[in-house]
Amino acid sequence: MTSPGTRRGWSPDTLLAGYESCTLPGWVPAPGGPSARAVAAGGAAPLLTLVRPPRAPEAPRGVVVHLHGYNDYFFATHLADAFVDAGWAFLALDARRAGRSLRPGDVPHYQGDLREQASDLSRAVAVARRRWPGLPVVVHAHSTGGLVAALWAHAHRARRGADAVVLDSPFLSSERSWVRPLEDGALRALARRRPLQVVASRPSWYAGRMAERWDFDTSLKRPQGVPARAGWLAAVRAGQARVARGLRIRVPVLVARAARSGADVVDGADLDTADTVLDVTTIAALVPRLGADVREVVVDGGVHDLALSRAEPRTAYLSAVRDFLAGVR
């Protein structure tokens, strides 16, 4: 059943001129399941939003489905342009409780089970395959979206998932990250009792610096940050533990990261030249655990979202992604 405000058809996007979007109802787990309470805490009747650019290649080589990270949504039109110029159709997903999909009563960016966002990604990929039948689909995912996409690709290894995956600074570990997790046993217990308990809250100086250089809605990508809640962090930690045990993604994977990490502090020198959100050494350590065909690109001068880096590292990143896409069939 369509929720109030759901648009099943495409209509002019409310945020990006020339773009179109459509909103679809999201999956919810069965009542009484192990994650049902934690999921329900985020808000009833979740929605997801798909966004498409005003142009696509006449004869696309394939389609890229983009998934954002935490405290984020799709606004980077230059990213869509880069894929379209390379001959790929493009479809962005604003997952439940994020960006265009945030509704009154929702807890921003919350998910009590990573299958929530994974189901949104499945829906987006299914739409892409229906619109461009027979063409390869590549998932391009950033940060927490990268964690979700990796787990999703592993879960779909025996059936139709993506034909390749690009992970931009994936949130594969909480070690030395912006959020310091509780001991996992205590965190799980807290998430069961009080899933919306705030366990970390701080400004995102990184988002503030990006707002100085990129045009986005700061109510949807917030320099003041979005609090991490127990249910969300427990879901993330469970996903990260699964990565640590090793995944078996069967399609080619490109993992991209900045060359170094730095401190996320106000007016910090690293905000323009390093990943100030995650520790890149832990990303590097976990890359071999994703699958058999995993490649890594290290971007000197890149920031957490490599696609938002300054011109030279951004160009290097997009060039590496285009080279990777050239081998996808």
Side-chain angles (χ1 to χ4, degrees):
M1 183 175 182
T2 303
S3 301
T6 300
R7 303 191 312 272
R8 284 193 177 275
W10 293 94
S11 60
D13 186 52
T14 57
L15 299 179
L16 297 174
Y19 279 66
E20 293 182 317
S21 60
C22 71
T23 305
L24 302 170
W27 166 87
V28 293
S35 62
R37 183 171 179 237
V39 169
L47 305 176
L48 61 115
T49 306
L50 304 179
V51 186
R52 66 186 184 189
R55 63 188 181 96
E58 289 187 10
R61 300 174 53 191
V63 54
V64 172
V65 175
H66 170 75
L67 174 60
H68 58 82
Y70 191 75
N71 189 22
D72 207 354
Y73 73 105
F74 174 68
F75 62 88
T77 57
H78 67 281
L79 184 64
D81 290 342
F83 287 123
V84 171
D85 290 344
W88 289 74
F90 182 84
L91 191 66
L93 164 65
D94 275 11
R96 61 186 64 198
R97 309 185 188 107
R100 298 162 179 82
S101 302
L102 185 66
R103 293 296 185 270
D106 284 349
V107 179
H109 299 278
Y110 177 88
Q111 49 182 327
D113 185 326
L114 295 189
R115 292 180 301 166
E116 292 189 77
Q117 206 170 90
S119 70
D120 295 348
L121 180 58
S122 288
R123 191 75 178 271
V125 169
V127 169
R129 290 202 183 279
R130 285 197 301 271
R131 172 62 182 83
W132 293 279
L135 295 182
V137 174
V138 175
V139 169
H140 177 275
H142 170 58
S143 198
T144 306
L147 171 64
V148 169
L151 295 166
W152 174 86
H154 169 79
H156 286 77
R157 64 193 181 278
R159 55 191 184 277
R160 193 69 162 171
D163 297 284
V165 179
V166 178
L167 305 178
D168 171 4
S169 305
F171 190 21
L172 302 181
S173 171
S174 299
E175 186 176 351
R176 296 189 293 275
S177 73
W178 73 275
V179 58
R180 305 292 193 272
L182 305 171
E183 187 275 327
D184 281 347
L187 177 62
R188 287 193 296 269
L190 179 62
R192 286 193 297 270
R193 297 193 312 271
R194 299 196 301 275
L196 296 185
Q197 175 70 46
V198 173
V199 293
S201 183
R202 52 170 291 182
S204 174
W205 303 114
Y206 159 75
R209 180 59 60 86
M210 294 304 101
E212 296 174 7
R213 295 200 277 111
W214 298 98
D215 183 16
F216 57 81
D217 187 333
T218 54
S219 71
L220 301 179
K221 183 178 178 70
R222 304 178 185 186
Q224 67 269 34
V226 175
R229 300 178 185 273
W232 175 84
L233 187 55
V236 166
R237 288 294 301 144
Q240 292 172 340
R242 184 64 190 88
V243 171
R245 293 195 298 272
L247 305 182
R248 297 190 303 278
I249 300 174
R250 292 182 177 174
V251 299
V253 181
L254 178 68
V255 180
R257 62 173 177 86
R260 63 185 185 89
S261 292
D264 190 43
V265 295
V266 61
D267 296 328
D270 291 332
L271 290 172
D272 289 317
T273 59
D275 190 331
T276 59
V277 178
L278 301 182
D279 176 57
V280 298
T281 64
T282 59
I283 297 174
L286 290 165
V287 164
R289 303 188 190 185
L290 297 178
D293 185 2
V294 185
R295 308 160 211 185
E296 185 180 26
V297 60
V298 178
V299 180
D300 189 31
V303 297
H304 178 53
D305 188 340
L306 295 164
L308 300 184
S309 301
R310 285 178 167 176
E312 186 174 347
R314 181 173 73 251
T315 298
Y317 170 64
L318 294 176
S319 178
V321 174
R322 283 194 297 269
D323 290 345
F324 175 76
L325 292 179
V328 176
R329 298 289 183 268

